[in-house]
Amino acid sequence: MERIPILKMGDFLLVTIQVDLYDQLAENLESDLINTINKHSSKGVLIDISAVSIIDSFMGRILGNIAVMAKILDAQTVVVGMQPAVAITLVELGLSLNGVISALNVEKGMDLLRAKMYKGDNEEQIDDDNSDQ
Amino acid sequence: MERIPILKMGDFLLVTIQVDLYDQLAENLESDLINTINKHSSKGVLIDISAVSIIDSFMGRILGNIAVMAKILDAQTVVVGMQPAVAITLVELGLSLNGVISALNVEKGMDLLRAKMYKGDNEEQIDDDNSDQ
């Protein structure tokens, strides 16, 4: 059975999508990703789609599902490397990738995730301070 | 034309091989990789083969070629994530992946590259010291 590899890079996971997602492959990716987040207590997921030349509503829904599932396990999902033509097509098709955060490339995606982790820690700090009062 | 994406991560490049390499794809990967090393002055290349279920002599030669080409541009290549079954088959087939360094996973591969960079710097330092005498 074909599977998309999930690479652990410190606190984050990296997935590169190079093949067309079909039902079973997408389902495997979702379950593998959730299990890997759980196993490594990952704080973020980077999904690289630089090799994807078209995003249809199915793929859009999968990306959205992954983001929601990861969020439940307290991990942020960032989609990186979208080709300009894909962004144009997305808008023309009226698909908006709701709930999915994106960044230009993997490095910027990692910076974004680190910034969100840092901000998240600060917010908790503030909440703790308020609850003490 | 299908291409394998090359991700820049700081000083290193990361390539995840998920599909069977055929002539044109392998050729594109080689030229893309060399151009990207040149463009970003990358010091290392990580090739993740965790999704590869068999390595034949063609793929072995491509990995070897990439390592040699990268070395000429002063970048070290590390193959990471080889499945245990692939390692067994390689040895049974009598293929040894000459000149290719490997590591268990991407994180260990990065550590290895960083250690090599550091060692390389030190060696240059020693050479400089000797030439002064």
Side-chain angles (χ1 to χ4, degrees), chain A residues 2-11 14 16-19 48 50-51 106-107 110, chain B residues 2-11 14 16-19 48 50-51 106-107 110:
Chain A
E2 209 182 341
R3 278 172 189 276
I4 295 177
I6 298 167
L7 307 178
K8 179 175 178 287
M9 328 251 330
D11 278 332
L14 175 65
T16 313
I17 297 179
Q18 296 177 16
V19 290
D48 173 70
S50 55
V106 176
E107 286 183 319
M110 282 207 171
Chain B
E2 209 180 343
R3 279 175 187 272
I4 296 177
I6 297 167
L7 308 179
K8 180 176 177 287
M9 330 252 326
D11 278 333
L14 175 66
T16 312
I17 297 179
Q18 296 176 16
V19 290
D48 173 71
S50 56
V106 176
E107 287 184 319
M110 282 207 173

Side-chain angles (χ1 to χ4, degrees), chain A residues 75-96:
Chain A
Q76 190 75 49
T77 303
V78 181
V79 171
V80 300
M82 190 185 290
Q83 290 177 23
V86 173
I88 293 170
T89 317
L90 267 184
V91 174
E92 284 178 351
L93 287 176
L95 297 170
S96 57

Side-chain angles (χ1 to χ4, degrees), chain B residues 12 33 41 49 54 58 61 63 73 80 111 113 122 129:
Chain B
F12 308 134
L33 208 43
S41 309
I49 55 166
I54 188 141
F58 175 73
R61 200 171 64 243
L63 291 176
L73 295 183
V80 300
D111 291 346
L113 283 176
N122 274 4
D129 290 350

Side-chain angles (χ1 to χ4, degrees), chain B residues 86-117:
Chain B
V86 173
I88 293 169
T89 317
L90 266 184
V91 174
E92 284 177 349
L93 287 174
L95 297 171
S96 56
L97 290 187
N98 276 330
V100 178
I101 300 170
S102 57
L104 194 63
N105 55 40
V106 176
E107 287 184 319
K108 287 196 203 302
M110 282 207 173
D111 291 346
L112 187 68
L113 283 176
R114 284 198 196 98
K116 280 191 178 287
M117 272 172 72

Side-chain angles (χ1 to χ4, degrees), chain A residues 50-111:
Chain A
S50 55
V52 175
S53 52
I54 188 138
I55 293 186
D56 53 10
S57 58
F58 175 73
M59 176 124 178
R61 200 170 66 244
I62 297 299
L63 291 176
N65 284 355
I66 287 174
V68 174
M69 290 179 192
K71 190 70 207 163
I72 294 171
L73 296 182
D74 195 25
Q76 190 75 49
T77 303
V78 181
V79 171
V80 300
M82 190 185 290
Q83 290 177 23
V86 173
I88 293 170
T89 317
L90 267 184
V91 174
E92 284 178 351
L93 287 176
L95 297 170
S96 57
L97 291 187
N98 275 330
V100 178
I101 301 171
S102 57
L104 195 63
N105 55 39
V106 176
E107 286 183 319
K108 288 195 203 305
M110 282 207 171
D111 291 346

Side-chain angles (χ1 to χ4, degrees), chain B:
Chain B
M1 199 185 297
E2 209 180 343
R3 279 175 187 272
I4 296 177
I6 297 167
L7 308 179
K8 180 176 177 287
M9 330 252 326
D11 278 333
F12 308 134
L13 301 177
L14 175 66
V15 180
T16 312
I17 297 179
Q18 296 176 16
V19 290
D20 284 334
L21 288 181
Y22 50 89
D23 284 16
Q24 186 61 48
L25 189 62
E27 211 170 275
N28 287 346
L29 176 62
E30 286 177 358
S31 63
D32 288 352
L33 208 43
I34 299 304
N35 287 329
T36 316
I37 291 172
N38 189 41
K39 188 174 162 195
H40 299 300
S41 309
S42 304
K43 304 302 287 174
V45 178
L46 290 149
I47 304 181
D48 173 71
I49 55 166
S50 56
V52 175
S53 53
I54 188 141
I55 293 187
D56 53 9
S57 58
F58 175 73
M59 176 124 176
R61 200 171 64 243
I62 296 300
L63 291 176
N65 284 354
I66 288 174
V68 173
M69 288 178 192
K71 191 70 205 163
I72 293 171
L73 295 183
D74 195 25
Q76 190 77 45
T77 304
V78 180
V79 171
V80 300
M82 189 185 291
Q83 291 177 21
V86 173
I88 293 169
T89 317
L90 266 184
V91 174
E92 284 177 349
L93 287 174
L95 297 171
S96 56
L97 290 187
N98 276 330
V100 178
I101 300 170
S102 57
L104 194 63
N105 55 40
V106 176
E107 287 184 319
K108 287 196 203 302
M110 282 207 173
D111 291 346
L112 187 68
L113 283 176
R114 284 198 196 98
K116 280 191 178 287
M117 272 172 72
Y118 180 73
K119 197 179 153 211
D121 288 348
N122 274 4
E123 276 171 2
E124 275 172 31
Q125 192 65 42
I126 292 164
D127 287 348
D128 289 349
D129 290 350
N130 286 345
S131 62
D132 289 345
Q133 289 167 357

Side-chain angles (χ1 to χ4, degrees), chain A residues 103-123:
Chain A
L104 195 63
N105 55 39
V106 176
E107 286 183 319
K108 288 195 203 305
M110 282 207 171
D111 291 346
L112 187 67
L113 283 175
R114 286 201 194 96
K116 281 194 177 285
M117 274 174 70
Y118 180 73
K119 198 180 154 210
D121 287 348
N122 275 5
E123 276 170 5

